[in-house]
Amino acid sequence: MKKVLNFINGEWCESTTGKYTSVWNPATGEVLAEVTQSSKEDVDRAVEAAKSAQKSWRLVPAPERAEILYEVAYLLKQRKEELAQILTSEMGKVIDEGRGEVQEAIDMAFYMAGEGRRMFGDTVPSELRNKFAMSVRVPVGVAGLITPWNFPIAIASWKSLPALVTGNAIVWKPATETPILAAEFVRIYEEAGLPKGLINLVHGSGSVVGNAIVEHPGIDLISFTGSNEVGREINGRAGALLKRTSLEMGGKNAITVLEDADVDLAVEGILWGAFGTSGQRCTATSRVLVHEKVKEELEGKLLERIGELKLGNGLDETVKVGPVINRSSLERIAEYVKIGREEGAKLLAGGDVATGEELENGNFFSPTIFTDVKPGMRIAMEEIFGPVVSIIPITSLEEAVEINNSVEFGLSSAIYTKNVDRAFEAMRDLDTGIVYVNAGTTGAEIHLPFGGTKGTGNGHRDSGVASLDVYTEWKSIYVDYSGKLQRAQIDNY
Ligand code: UN1
């Protein structure tokens, strides 16, 4: 059986615990590998390695650090298909989406490599003569990365690449469900020539490894993507230690369809947003706010198309919807469907664990649509993280905006309309970190900030130039070449 190991100080090694757990293929139930289960001591060793490696890494010129990132980009590109296959086997999304996700990491690698020659600060005119004023970015130190299974390489790339190009070292705990791809990504860093100790991979549970990372005094910042519950806990613990934390924690994203929308286009956006990655995206479409004048048409068209969504093993190119990650997820989704029914929502399609010969060993849930959902129902407020979407009728853009903004999350929203005035109003008023016009709620590109408002995060962003803010401190520098004491705000007035 394949064994997945930790990577600490440039060595692949087993945890001191000697314990392993299994990695499952969620489509087939097959065991893919055994992964080492680490202890606090493994984290201690990883932090020591990271701290010591970072001391010299911070002095390497950023364009030179970036050379390694370009190499990472080329290697990811070369191995795209192989990585996509691993991704799909390990977490289930269909292979096309797996390829798309690896592409997202490739894009991020090229983009962040480019930052090695930008990383702009400001130069500003000093208020005093013969004095120079500027700001530069400096690394924070050691970054603790805690990443989810739903985008196992894209999100890891959003965090590790900016951390490294800005001169930090990393201790990384990937999700327990997706350690194989994490190890492959680290292998690429190794092959690209990243000096030892700069990326350390420690596999294991959130309660042991995650907590040890969050609380370790040698780790200066935490970047986390995952559930709201875990994010809050991390924020509490890390906050007490005055550690910087960047959190991204999900959504309850809505597509608004106005009466003047291209309904066919909206149908495409809804199916892709709600059922792509089996609804297990932070950006998944889980509410549709449809104008009552086009509600019937939209529902009819959704029902016509939903049958085309073939379920199965994502490695089969004809499959459109893969499994959900595990049994407990399947149970949680089924529980939400039960709640929706009890709340009085009308089940339009799906609603059950999917069965069939080829599905029986995997975790499959039928694409599910509820309609006549009230905005305050639990299925319309809570993140389900599965292939379930709720249709809520509306009568105006104002009402849609209010419902859109009424949930605790604020990641992504979308509007379908042909009216440019309403589109701009929506762009202004939808209270989410990402807004789409005439496109669904998923499909973020890496050169813009990714993240959200309210319960989705804590003000930080992944990807884009904004991600540099997570991994750097600003240093303001004044150089006085006047040869005398010049008192700011005093001698010039
Ligand atoms: C996530 O949902 O966790 O915008 C990340 C998208 C992808 C990234 C999603 N590019 O859907």
Side-chain angles (χ1 to χ4, degrees):
M1 179 61 62
K2 181 185 169 73
K3 283 198 161 37
V4 185
L5 301 177
N6 287 339
F7 187 70
I8 298 176
N9 205 20
E11 305 278 339
W12 292 95
C13 50
E14 193 179 68
S15 160
T16 51
T17 65
K19 287 193 189 131
Y20 283 83
T21 55
S22 302
V23 186
W24 311 86
N25 179 329
T28 62
E30 172 200 358
V31 176
L32 298 170
E34 301 290 332
V35 57
T36 191
Q37 285 304 294
S38 311
S39 62
K40 192 174 164 302
E41 289 66 45
D42 296 309
V43 174
D44 289 342
R45 282 207 309 124
V47 176
E48 278 322 304
K51 268 170 69 176
S52 128
Q54 200 263 339
K55 283 199 182 107
S56 40
W57 184 239
R58 78 181 179 92
L59 301 176
V60 174
E64 203 178 311
R65 291 181 211 136
E67 290 296 321
I68 295 172
L69 270 63
Y70 278 116
E71 208 48 48
V72 168
Y74 292 125
L75 289 168
L76 286 168
K77 210 169 156 173
Q78 256 172 34
R79 295 184 54 193
K80 178 174 173 181
E81 183 58 30
E82 179 202 340
L83 294 168
Q85 301 267 339
I86 296 174
L87 199 163
T88 293
S89 318
E90 211 173 18
M91 66 66 68
K93 70 175 64 172
V94 298
I95 188 68
D96 240 7
E97 291 182 42
R99 292 178 186 125
E101 184 183 334
V102 178
Q103 186 59 44
E104 198 161 342
I106 297 169
D107 296 343
M108 188 69 188
F110 279 117
Y111 181 72
M112 275 298 145
E115 270 316 309
R117 287 186 184 270
R118 285 189 295 263
M119 225 178 277
F120 300 132
D122 293 320
T123 58
V124 296
S126 166
E127 36 185 75
L128 290 154
R129 286 169 193 247
N130 296 332
K131 193 176 170 192
F132 194 89
M134 63 187 158
S135 63
V136 294
R137 288 186 186 274
V138 294
V140 179
V142 177
L145 310 184
I146 303 178
T147 57
W149 50 263
N150 70 330
F151 278 82
I153 196 160
I155 292 179
S157 80
W158 292 354
K159 298 183 192 298
S160 59
L161 292 156
L164 288 169
V165 79
T166 52
N168 299 277
I170 292 171
V171 177
W172 176 24
K173 187 197 102 59
T176 47
E177 292 83 353
T178 49
I180 305 175
L181 192 63
E184 289 307 312
F185 193 19
V186 168
R187 226 177 274 285
I188 283 176
Y189 275 118
E190 189 187 11
E191 210 179 307
L194 188 72
K196 73 179 175 122
L198 288 173
I199 191 159
N200 300 278
L201 180 68
V202 188
H203 298 286
S205 68
S207 57
V208 177
V209 177
N211 280 346
I213 288 176
V214 170
E215 290 181 347
H216 200 296
I219 290 189
D220 305 288
L221 79 98
I222 306 291
S223 178
F224 166 80
T225 297
S227 74
N228 193 283
E229 195 191 338
V230 174
R232 275 175 204 269
E233 198 180 319
I234 289 178
N235 211 27
R237 286 172 193 252
L241 299 166
L242 291 183
K243 259 184 216 192
R244 180 180 301 193
T245 17
S246 165
L247 307 171
E248 201 275 288
M249 305 171 295
K252 190 69 192 171
N253 316 294
I255 291 183
T256 292
V257 185
L258 294 185
E259 72 273 33
D260 61 13
D262 177 337
V263 174
D264 291 308
L265 191 64
V267 165
E268 301 278 351
I270 293 164
L271 293 173
W272 173 232
F275 306 127
T277 321
S278 305
Q280 303 168 110
R281 290 175 176 138
C282 313
T283 56
T285 306
S286 59
R287 297 179 296 161
V288 174
L289 316 178
V290 61
H291 196 284
E292 55 184 21
K293 285 195 186 141
V294 288
K295 177 173 176 272
E296 225 181 277
E297 181 189 351
L298 182 88
E299 286 176 358
K301 288 183 166 162
L302 281 171
L303 277 180
E304 258 169 46
R305 296 286 308 280
I306 201 167
E308 292 169 14
L309 300 177
K310 178 177 166 191
L311 266 75
N313 185 339
L315 290 176
D316 173 346
E317 305 269 353
T318 65
V319 162
K320 293 279 186 273
V321 179
V324 298
I325 191 71
N326 52 34
R327 291 276 151 184
S328 67
S329 179
L330 207 58
E331 283 160 19
R332 199 196 57 248
I333 298 163
E335 180 60 25
Y336 267 109
V337 170
K338 189 165 154 260
I339 291 169
R341 282 184 153 137
E342 285 165 6
E343 284 178 314
K346 187 170 143 203
L347 189 66
L348 204 62
D352 298 311
V353 171
T355 48
E357 209 180 313
E358 282 171 29
L359 307 180
E360 70 189 19
N361 295 319
N363 312 311
F364 293 93
F365 203 90
S366 311
T368 298
I369 305 177
F370 276 111
T371 190
D372 298 330
V373 175
K374 304 247 172 354
M377 289 179 178
R378 283 184 62 193
I379 54 166
M381 307 279 286
E382 297 172 18
E383 188 176 43
I384 299 176
F385 227 62
V388 180
V389 67
S390 293
I391 298 178
I392 303 173
I394 49 130
T395 53
S396 66
L397 173 59
E398 292 64 37
E399 189 186 358
V401 167
E402 200 183 310
I403 297 171
N404 184 89
N405 295 352
S406 68
V407 293
E408 73 169 301
F409 300 104
L411 183 54
S412 176
S413 43
I415 180 157
Y416 283 82
T417 178
K418 286 189 179 148
N419 182 316
V420 72
D421 300 352
R422 290 160 126 198
F424 270 89
E425 256 179 66
M427 287 185 249
R428 184 192 61 200
D429 294 339
L430 293 170
D431 180 14
T432 50
I434 307 170
V435 172
Y436 292 90
V437 177
N438 292 328
T441 56
T442 69
E445 302 176 27
I446 57 84
H447 39 291
L448 283 181
F450 183 96
T453 61
K454 302 186 287 186
T456 289
N458 62 342
H460 292 284
R461 292 292 185 268
D462 278 319
S463 86
V465 178
S467 65
L468 300 182
D469 294 338
V470 175
Y471 304 97
T472 55
E473 294 279 5
W474 281 115
K475 186 179 277 187
S476 299
I477 302 176
Y478 302 93
V479 183
D480 191 321
Y481 56 100
S482 69
K484 59 182 184 210
L485 172 69
Q486 298 200 85
R487 296 171 305 169
Q489 296 96 31
I490 298 171
D491 292 333
N492 45 338
Y493 282 97

